[in-house]
Amino acid sequence: MESYNELMLLFVGLGNPTHQYEQTRHNIGFMVLDAFAKKHEFPEFKLNKKSDSLLSESIVGQQKVLLAKPRTSMNNSGDAVSILTTNYKLQTTNLLVVHDDIDLPLGKLRISMGSGSAGHKGVESIISALGTQDFVRVRLGIQPKTGKPEQVEEFVLQRFSQVESNVVEQTIQNACAALDSILRNGIEKAMSEYN
């Protein structure tokens, strides 16, 4: 995954569609893609019915990048990702998934390659649909200061608190910078810079 050039990269942000889930912890993947699209002046996201995803495509530096926000529920994200990788004839090594991570403290960011889902249902769905975990993940911490909550599934569907929102804004900017670093320097260097 060091030199991409002609190959398109697929950046998938994970979240739950519909208005009620906007700005919730589980949707930080969507928030990062929106910020990245704005930063690099991508065209407006448009619905692709076949993959049931909102897509936007542009070139960053010399690299073709396709941004995707699946409109499936989080737990069925793999359906959309599988269709997109097939339609665009992409290797899974050209796939990068941005998602929340309850095991990391709020504000922390980790880039990983080829690791398991650690219980994240969206990631689990992608691994299952693709039959491999050989793709890059940008994991964004959402764990509160008090530690991992008991009711994780309830917690991730809540909105960030007022106090958290400044940290979240900074995390989103850091994630965009990490994506830029991956595009510019490759995955290994980005990992050593951000992990």
Side-chain angles (χ1 to χ4, degrees):
M1 198 165 165
E2 282 307 320
S3 93
Y4 312 109
N5 307 329
E6 285 312 297
L7 297 169
M8 180 183 277
L9 288 186
L10 171 60
F11 288 2
V12 176
L14 295 189
N16 279 305
T18 74
H19 186 63
Q20 74 187 93
Y21 295 113
E22 279 174 18
Q23 307 300 309
T24 59
R25 295 179 172 94
H26 226 14
N27 277 29
I28 197 166
F30 282 0
M31 296 178 203
V32 169
L33 252 60
D34 287 338
F36 187 80
K38 189 175 176 186
K39 179 179 181 180
H40 291 289
E41 299 178 339
F42 273 67
E44 200 178 319
F45 281 90
K46 291 209 163 46
L47 181 63
N48 173 270
K49 286 188 177 157
K50 196 168 184 185
S51 65
D52 197 13
S53 301
L54 292 170
L55 304 181
S56 182
E57 188 183 320
S58 190
I59 292 174
V60 182
Q62 306 294 307
Q63 181 62 57
K64 269 191 217 167
V65 179
L66 177 66
L67 304 180
K69 298 189 291 183
R71 303 295 293 162
T72 58
S73 70
M74 170 72 86
N75 298 358
N76 296 318
S77 303
D79 297 347
V81 174
S82 173
I83 289 167
L84 287 167
T85 53
T86 303
N87 281 3
Y88 286 90
K89 298 180 172 61
L90 295 175
Q91 301 285 331
T92 58
T93 46
N94 281 53
L95 166 65
L96 185 147
V97 179
V98 185
H99 65 89
D100 61 295
D101 192 327
I102 192 67
D103 294 320
L104 290 175
L106 183 70
K108 284 272 179 261
L109 178 157
R110 286 279 174 281
I111 302 169
S112 60
M113 173 89 188
S115 50
S117 69
H120 191 289
K121 296 283 196 290
V123 175
E124 218 166 82
S125 165
I126 293 170
I127 292 171
S128 166
L130 298 177
T132 180
Q133 47 194 44
D134 191 20
F135 55 89
V136 176
R137 285 160 51 200
V138 176
R139 299 156 41 213
L140 305 167
I142 59 164
Q143 188 185 107
K145 282 197 167 114
T146 49
K148 194 170 174 175
E150 277 182 33
Q151 304 294 327
V152 170
E153 287 181 12
E154 234 170 75
F155 177 79
V156 297
L157 296 179
Q158 294 166 4
R159 289 170 185 256
F160 288 106
S161 70
Q162 206 57 51
V163 177
E164 291 171 323
S165 53
N166 286 345
V167 181
V168 172
E169 196 44 55
Q170 188 55 57
T171 305
I172 289 170
Q173 298 313 316
N174 291 349
C176 287
L179 293 177
D180 284 337
S181 175
I182 289 168
L183 288 170
R184 204 173 43 245
N185 307 316
I187 188 72
E188 299 299 328
K189 280 189 181 162
M191 283 169 100
S192 63
E193 188 181 347
Y194 284 90
N195 288 358

